[in-house]
Amino acid sequence: MTDKEEVKGAGDNPEMVLSGKKSGKASLLDSGEDFEMLDDDIDDDPPPLEDAGGGKKTKTEEPAEDQDTGTSAPLDEWMDILGNGQLKKKVLQAGNGPDSRPTKGQNVVIHLKTSLADGTLIEEQPELSFTLGDGDVIQSVVLSQALDLTVQLMEMREKALVQANAKYAYGALGSLAPEVPPNAELALEVQLLDATEAPDLELLSPKERIALAGQKRERGNVYYQRADYAFAVNSYGIALQITESSSKVDISPEEEEELMDVKVKCLNNMAAAQLKLDHYEAALRSCVSVLAHQPDNIKALFRKGKVLALQGEYAEAIKILKRALKLEPSNKTIHAELSKLVKKHSEQKGAEQAMYKKMLGNPASGSSGMQKHQAKSSWVVSWKWLFGATAVAIGGVALSVVIAARN
């Protein structure tokens, strides 16, 4: 088990929120580095991708038409894509018409120039390629949300200016490379250069499938690092779909093993993200899937125990964690988690016993009282019997004396 192969740096079910195409501290269990669980706040509300079809326009004269009308948007007019002012688009150069707009699942190539709101150039990428709708802009993953939403509204060869709120850019963290301050709004100059259909997964060579699935998994890892857990789950789900797709190309046992390795890593990382989203049943299913392929996978065992504990199944969770500890006896985090669960389980059993006693009216005390009552009753009966027998004996003697006197 190689730590670096899991999530780097750092789960009603979003694990298959797939694209439209067919088909802090680091921690081992949260991120593939160690077993410490993070206590980050969870935000499972992804940007409203379903709103990508258009939005409010900020000018009322000659309102820009969205893609549903089949007409082009006028030049020099801002389109409020989400209707909240956080992502706006303005056409600088008209394209080849509405029919040339790309669709989700296609591979697109754009010329991207990224600047701060004051015009300071951050970087320029002449040919940035990515799969539209997958949220996997490789060179600048944090811009995936903004680009996925806006490029779908662009015509071929169109050039547009996009204003992106920090939420749809580098967020509160900012970036070191490229250098972007925290909470910075960005100005993106985008030109759509090309759009082609994504390759048929069935016709990809095993090496190509392995590389593509690994690429999608890496996007999930970056989303996880930035606490975008729902988007991380989405990327892992896409990667899983690639690993599980049927193939018309021969595959060697070694290549099958590589694909399985990518699949297991995706499932493990997906479980970590689902835990962050409090999606316990989904996380449990992901762990079970890992263990079906690798019964002794430490990370899956630990996360399964964690999920069961969160669901109140302490006895079963303890059993799973003991199994993990047996496989890795020196792991301090498993020791700590197991000790914590044993204590909770003991407290739970004590509380249940106290509740039962209260419900039954303290049966132990009642039994003791009954025994005392029975002993007392037995003592009273014995003395009554003895007194009666003595009375009969005295009466018999007196009767004998009377008879003798008469004679």
Side-chain angles (χ1 to χ4, degrees), residues 1 46 86 118 163 177 185 194 235 249 253 264 284 286 343 348:
M1 179 173 58
Q86 295 184 344
D118 63 5
Q163 288 185 351
E185 293 188 4
D194 192 22
S235 293
V249 181
V264 166
L284 187 60
S286 296
K343 182 179 178 182
Q348 183 189 54

mmCIF file with all atom_site columns, all heavy atoms in Angstrom, residues 1 46 86 118 163 177 185 194 235 249 253 264 284 286 343 348:
data_model
loop_
_atom_site.group_PDB
_atom_site.id
_atom_site.type_symbol
_atom_site.label_atom_id
_atom_site.label_alt_id
_atom_site.label_comp_id
_atom_site.label_asym_id
_atom_site.label_entity_id
_atom_site.label_seq_id
_atom_site.pdbx_PDB_ins_code
_atom_site.Cartn_x
_atom_site.Cartn_y
_atom_site.Cartn_z
_atom_site.occupancy
_atom_site.B_iso_or_equiv
_atom_site.pdbx_formal_charge
_atom_site.auth_seq_id
_atom_site.auth_comp_id
_atom_site.auth_asym_id
_atom_site.auth_atom_id
_atom_site.pdbx_PDB_model_num
ATOM 1   N N   . MET A 1 1   ? 0.847   -1.188  0.000   1.00 0.00 ? 1   MET A N   1
ATOM 2   C CA  . MET A 1 1   ? 0.000   0.000   0.000   1.00 0.00 ? 1   MET A CA  1
ATOM 3   C C   . MET A 1 1   ? 0.879   1.234   0.000   1.00 0.00 ? 1   MET A C   1
ATOM 4   O O   . MET A 1 1   ? 1.616   1.480   0.936   1.00 0.00 ? 1   MET A O   1
ATOM 5   C CB  . MET A 1 1   ? -0.884  -0.001  1.250   1.00 0.00 ? 1   MET A CB  1
ATOM 6   C CG  . MET A 1 1   ? -1.781  1.199   1.366   1.00 0.00 ? 1   MET A CG  1
ATOM 7   S SD  . MET A 1 1   ? -2.912  0.991   2.765   1.00 0.00 ? 1   MET A SD  1
ATOM 8   C CE  . MET A 1 1   ? -1.761  0.790   4.108   1.00 0.00 ? 1   MET A CE  1
ATOM 9   N N   . PRO A 1 46  ? -22.768 21.734  -4.310  1.00 0.00 ? 46  PRO A N   1
ATOM 10  C CA  . PRO A 1 46  ? -21.950 22.114  -5.453  1.00 0.00 ? 46  PRO A CA  1
ATOM 11  C C   . PRO A 1 46  ? -22.588 23.270  -6.205  1.00 0.00 ? 46  PRO A C   1
ATOM 12  O O   . PRO A 1 46  ? -23.770 23.552  -6.038  1.00 0.00 ? 46  PRO A O   1
ATOM 13  C CB  . PRO A 1 46  ? -21.948 20.842  -6.310  1.00 0.00 ? 46  PRO A CB  1
ATOM 14  C CG  . PRO A 1 46  ? -23.231 20.175  -5.973  1.00 0.00 ? 46  PRO A CG  1
ATOM 15  C CD  . PRO A 1 46  ? -23.495 20.482  -4.520  1.00 0.00 ? 46  PRO A CD  1
ATOM 16  N N   . GLN A 1 86  ? -22.332 36.267  -9.511  1.00 0.00 ? 86  GLN A N   1
ATOM 17  C CA  . GLN A 1 86  ? -21.035 35.675  -9.183  1.00 0.00 ? 86  GLN A CA  1
ATOM 18  C C   . GLN A 1 86  ? -20.299 35.118  -10.400 1.00 0.00 ? 86  GLN A C   1
ATOM 19  O O   . GLN A 1 86  ? -19.108 34.836  -10.320 1.00 0.00 ? 86  GLN A O   1
ATOM 20  C CB  . GLN A 1 86  ? -21.213 34.567  -8.141  1.00 0.00 ? 86  GLN A CB  1
ATOM 21  C CG  . GLN A 1 86  ? -21.707 35.081  -6.802  1.00 0.00 ? 86  GLN A CG  1
ATOM 22  C CD  . GLN A 1 86  ? -21.784 33.985  -5.753  1.00 0.00 ? 86  GLN A CD  1
ATOM 23  O OE1 . GLN A 1 86  ? -21.755 32.807  -6.075  1.00 0.00 ? 86  GLN A OE1 1
ATOM 24  N NE2 . GLN A 1 86  ? -21.882 34.375  -4.491  1.00 0.00 ? 86  GLN A NE2 1
ATOM 25  N N   . ASP A 1 118 ? -8.177  43.743  -11.336 1.00 0.00 ? 118 ASP A N   1
ATOM 26  C CA  . ASP A 1 118 ? -7.552  45.023  -11.685 1.00 0.00 ? 118 ASP A CA  1
ATOM 27  C C   . ASP A 1 118 ? -6.743  44.952  -12.972 1.00 0.00 ? 118 ASP A C   1
ATOM 28  O O   . ASP A 1 118 ? -6.093  45.928  -13.366 1.00 0.00 ? 118 ASP A O   1
ATOM 29  C CB  . ASP A 1 118 ? -6.655  45.515  -10.544 1.00 0.00 ? 118 ASP A CB  1
ATOM 30  C CG  . ASP A 1 118 ? -5.486  44.559  -10.261 1.00 0.00 ? 118 ASP A CG  1
ATOM 31  O OD1 . ASP A 1 118 ? -5.317  43.578  -11.009 1.00 0.00 ? 118 ASP A OD1 1
ATOM 32  O OD2 . ASP A 1 118 ? -4.755  44.791  -9.275  1.00 0.00 ? 118 ASP A OD2 1
ATOM 33  N N   . GLN A 1 163 ? -16.256 37.209  -15.830 1.00 0.00 ? 163 GLN A N   1
ATOM 34  C CA  . GLN A 1 163 ? -15.945 37.684  -14.489 1.00 0.00 ? 163 GLN A CA  1
ATOM 35  C C   . GLN A 1 163 ? -16.390 36.614  -13.499 1.00 0.00 ? 163 GLN A C   1
ATOM 36  O O   . GLN A 1 163 ? -17.566 36.244  -13.461 1.00 0.00 ? 163 GLN A O   1
ATOM 37  C CB  . GLN A 1 163 ? -16.661 39.014  -14.198 1.00 0.00 ? 163 GLN A CB  1
ATOM 38  C CG  . GLN A 1 163 ? -16.073 40.195  -14.946 1.00 0.00 ? 163 GLN A CG  1
ATOM 39  C CD  . GLN A 1 163 ? -16.714 41.509  -14.550 1.00 0.00 ? 163 GLN A CD  1
ATOM 40  O OE1 . GLN A 1 163 ? -17.716 41.534  -13.832 1.00 0.00 ? 163 GLN A OE1 1
ATOM 41  N NE2 . GLN A 1 163 ? -16.141 42.612  -15.021 1.00 0.00 ? 163 GLN A NE2 1
ATOM 42  N N   . ALA A 1 177 ? 0.866   28.946  -7.054  1.00 0.00 ? 177 ALA A N   1
ATOM 43  C CA  . ALA A 1 177 ? 1.298   28.787  -8.438  1.00 0.00 ? 177 ALA A CA  1
ATOM 44  C C   . ALA A 1 177 ? 0.090   28.406  -9.294  1.00 0.00 ? 177 ALA A C   1
ATOM 45  O O   . ALA A 1 177 ? -0.348  27.262  -9.234  1.00 0.00 ? 177 ALA A O   1
ATOM 46  C CB  . ALA A 1 177 ? 2.386   27.730  -8.539  1.00 0.00 ? 177 ALA A CB  1
ATOM 47  N N   . GLU A 1 185 ? -11.381 37.970  -7.025  1.00 0.00 ? 185 GLU A N   1
ATOM 48  C CA  . GLU A 1 185 ? -12.194 37.834  -8.223  1.00 0.00 ? 185 GLU A CA  1
ATOM 49  C C   . GLU A 1 185 ? -11.268 37.821  -9.430  1.00 0.00 ? 185 GLU A C   1
ATOM 50  O O   . GLU A 1 185 ? -10.227 38.474  -9.444  1.00 0.00 ? 185 GLU A O   1
ATOM 51  C CB  . GLU A 1 185 ? -13.196 38.984  -8.329  1.00 0.00 ? 185 GLU A CB  1
ATOM 52  C CG  . GLU A 1 185 ? -14.251 38.970  -7.244  1.00 0.00 ? 185 GLU A CG  1
ATOM 53  C CD  . GLU A 1 185 ? -15.339 40.004  -7.479  1.00 0.00 ? 185 GLU A CD  1
ATOM 54  O OE1 . GLU A 1 185 ? -15.280 40.677  -8.544  1.00 0.00 ? 185 GLU A OE1 1
ATOM 55  O OE2 . GLU A 1 185 ? -16.227 40.138  -6.628  1.00 0.00 ? 185 GLU A OE2 1
ATOM 56  N N   . ASP A 1 194 ? -11.741 24.619  -30.345 1.00 0.00 ? 194 ASP A N   1
ATOM 57  C CA  . ASP A 1 194 ? -12.081 23.326  -30.942 1.00 0.00 ? 194 ASP A CA  1
ATOM 58  C C   . ASP A 1 194 ? -12.970 22.537  -29.991 1.00 0.00 ? 194 ASP A C   1
ATOM 59  O O   . ASP A 1 194 ? -12.937 22.733  -28.771 1.00 0.00 ? 194 ASP A O   1
ATOM 60  C CB  . ASP A 1 194 ? -10.804 22.533  -31.225 1.00 0.00 ? 194 ASP A CB  1
ATOM 61  C CG  . ASP A 1 194 ? -11.053 21.311  -32.110 1.00 0.00 ? 194 ASP A CG  1
ATOM 62  O OD1 . ASP A 1 194 ? -12.075 21.306  -32.834 1.00 0.00 ? 194 ASP A OD1 1
ATOM 63  O OD2 . ASP A 1 194 ? -10.242 20.370  -32.077 1.00 0.00 ? 194 ASP A OD2 1
ATOM 64  N N   . SER A 1 235 ? -15.713 13.295  -9.546  1.00 0.00 ? 235 SER A N   1
ATOM 65  C CA  . SER A 1 235 ? -14.529 12.904  -10.323 1.00 0.00 ? 235 SER A CA  1
ATOM 66  C C   . SER A 1 235 ? -14.178 11.439  -10.105 1.00 0.00 ? 235 SER A C   1
ATOM 67  O O   . SER A 1 235 ? -13.831 10.719  -11.058 1.00 0.00 ? 235 SER A O   1
ATOM 68  C CB  . SER A 1 235 ? -13.338 13.788  -9.930  1.00 0.00 ? 235 SER A CB  1
ATOM 69  O OG  . SER A 1 235 ? -13.550 15.127  -10.317 1.00 0.00 ? 235 SER A OG  1
ATOM 70  N N   . VAL A 1 249 ? -10.934 -4.231  -26.813 1.00 0.00 ? 249 VAL A N   1
ATOM 71  C CA  . VAL A 1 249 ? -9.490  -4.396  -27.014 1.00 0.00 ? 249 VAL A CA  1
ATOM 72  C C   . VAL A 1 249 ? -8.975  -5.428  -26.018 1.00 0.00 ? 249 VAL A C   1
ATOM 73  O O   . VAL A 1 249 ? -9.372  -5.439  -24.854 1.00 0.00 ? 249 VAL A O   1
ATOM 74  C CB  . VAL A 1 249 ? -8.763  -3.049  -26.809 1.00 0.00 ? 249 VAL A CB  1
ATOM 75  C CG1 . VAL A 1 249 ? -7.260  -3.204  -27.035 1.00 0.00 ? 249 VAL A CG1 1
ATOM 76  C CG2 . VAL A 1 249 ? -9.336  -1.990  -27.741 1.00 0.00 ? 249 VAL A CG2 1
ATOM 77  N N   . PRO A 1 253 ? -3.294  -9.731  -18.209 1.00 0.00 ? 253 PRO A N   1
ATOM 78  C CA  . PRO A 1 253 ? -3.534  -9.839  -16.761 1.00 0.00 ? 253 PRO A CA  1
ATOM 79  C C   . PRO A 1 253 ? -2.877  -8.702  -15.975 1.00 0.00 ? 253 PRO A C   1
ATOM 80  O O   . PRO A 1 253 ? -3.441  -8.217  -14.991 1.00 0.00 ? 253 PRO A O   1
ATOM 81  C CB  . PRO A 1 253 ? -2.910  -11.198 -16.404 1.00 0.00 ? 253 PRO A CB  1
ATOM 82  C CG  . PRO A 1 253 ? -2.948  -11.982 -17.676 1.00 0.00 ? 253 PRO A CG  1
ATOM 83  C CD  . PRO A 1 253 ? -2.732  -10.981 -18.761 1.00 0.00 ? 253 PRO A CD  1
ATOM 84  N N   . VAL A 1 264 ? -9.745  0.444   -7.017  1.00 0.00 ? 264 VAL A N   1
ATOM 85  C CA  . VAL A 1 264 ? -9.727  0.354   -5.558  1.00 0.00 ? 264 VAL A CA  1
ATOM 86  C C   . VAL A 1 264 ? -9.364  1.704   -4.939  1.00 0.00 ? 264 VAL A C   1
ATOM 87  O O   . VAL A 1 264 ? -9.966  2.131   -3.952  1.00 0.00 ? 264 VAL A O   1
ATOM 88  C CB  . VAL A 1 264 ? -8.745  -0.749  -5.107  1.00 0.00 ? 264 VAL A CB  1
ATOM 89  C CG1 . VAL A 1 264 ? -8.442  -0.633  -3.615  1.00 0.00 ? 264 VAL A CG1 1
ATOM 90  C CG2 . VAL A 1 264 ? -9.335  -2.124  -5.414  1.00 0.00 ? 264 VAL A CG2 1
ATOM 91  N N   . LEU A 1 284 ? -20.289 3.370   3.168   1.00 0.00 ? 284 LEU A N   1
ATOM 92  C CA  . LEU A 1 284 ? -20.240 1.951   3.533   1.00 0.00 ? 284 LEU A CA  1
ATOM 93  C C   . LEU A 1 284 ? -20.220 1.078   2.290   1.00 0.00 ? 284 LEU A C   1
ATOM 94  O O   . LEU A 1 284 ? -19.462 0.100   2.211   1.00 0.00 ? 284 LEU A O   1
ATOM 95  C CB  . LEU A 1 284 ? -21.446 1.607   4.411   1.00 0.00 ? 284 LEU A CB  1
ATOM 96  C CG  . LEU A 1 284 ? -21.471 0.204   5.014   1.00 0.00 ? 284 LEU A CG  1
ATOM 97  C CD1 . LEU A 1 284 ? -20.264 -0.027  5.904   1.00 0.00 ? 284 LEU A CD1 1
ATOM 98  C CD2 . LEU A 1 284 ? -22.763 -0.004  5.808   1.00 0.00 ? 284 LEU A CD2 1
ATOM 99  N N   . SER A 1 286 ? -19.054 1.896   -0.627  1.00 0.00 ? 286 SER A N   1
ATOM 100 C CA  . SER A 1 286 ? -17.735 2.033   -1.250  1.00 0.00 ? 286 SER A CA  1
ATOM 101 C C   . SER A 1 286 ? -16.711 1.150   -0.543  1.00 0.00 ? 286 SER A C   1
ATOM 102 O O   . SER A 1 286 ? -15.898 0.473   -1.190  1.00 0.00 ? 286 SER A O   1
ATOM 103 C CB  . SER A 1 286 ? -17.281 3.497   -1.217  1.00 0.00 ? 286 SER A CB  1
ATOM 104 O OG  . SER A 1 286 ? -18.142 4.320   -1.983  1.00 0.00 ? 286 SER A OG  1
ATOM 105 N N   . LYS A 1 343 ? -14.701 2.232   24.815  1.00 0.00 ? 343 LYS A N   1
ATOM 106 C CA  . LYS A 1 343 ? -15.235 3.048   25.909  1.00 0.00 ? 343 LYS A CA  1
ATOM 107 C C   . LYS A 1 343 ? -16.682 3.450   25.634  1.00 0.00 ? 343 LYS A C   1
ATOM 108 O O   . LYS A 1 343 ? -17.544 3.360   26.504  1.00 0.00 ? 343 LYS A O   1
ATOM 109 C CB  . LYS A 1 343 ? -14.365 4.294   26.085  1.00 0.00 ? 343 LYS A CB  1
ATOM 110 C CG  . LYS A 1 343 ? -14.801 5.184   27.239  1.00 0.00 ? 343 LYS A CG  1
ATOM 111 C CD  . LYS A 1 343 ? -13.885 6.390   27.375  1.00 0.00 ? 343 LYS A CD  1
ATOM 112 C CE  . LYS A 1 343 ? -14.357 7.302   28.511  1.00 0.00 ? 343 LYS A CE  1
ATOM 113 N NZ  . LYS A 1 343 ? -13.495 8.520   28.627  1.00 0.00 ? 343 LYS A NZ  1
ATOM 114 N N   . GLN A 1 348 ? -22.464 2.718   26.492  1.00 0.00 ? 348 GLN A N   1
ATOM 115 C CA  . GLN A 1 348 ? -23.763 2.417   25.902  1.00 0.00 ? 348 GLN A CA  1
ATOM 116 C C   . GLN A 1 348 ? -24.422 1.240   26.622  1.00 0.00 ? 348 GLN A C   1
ATOM 117 O O   . GLN A 1 348 ? -25.618 1.273   26.946  1.00 0.00 ? 348 GLN A O   1
ATOM 118 C CB  . GLN A 1 348 ? -23.607 2.093   24.416  1.00 0.00 ? 348 GLN A CB  1
ATOM 119 C CG  . GLN A 1 348 ? -24.934 1.829   23.699  1.00 0.00 ? 348 GLN A CG  1
ATOM 120 C CD  . GLN A 1 348 ? -24.710 1.305   22.294  1.00 0.00 ? 348 GLN A CD  1
ATOM 121 O OE1 . GLN A 1 348 ? -24.014 0.320   22.079  1.00 0.00 ? 348 GLN A OE1 1
ATOM 122 N NE2 . GLN A 1 348 ? -25.297 1.988   21.317  1.00 0.00 ? 348 GLN A NE2 1
#
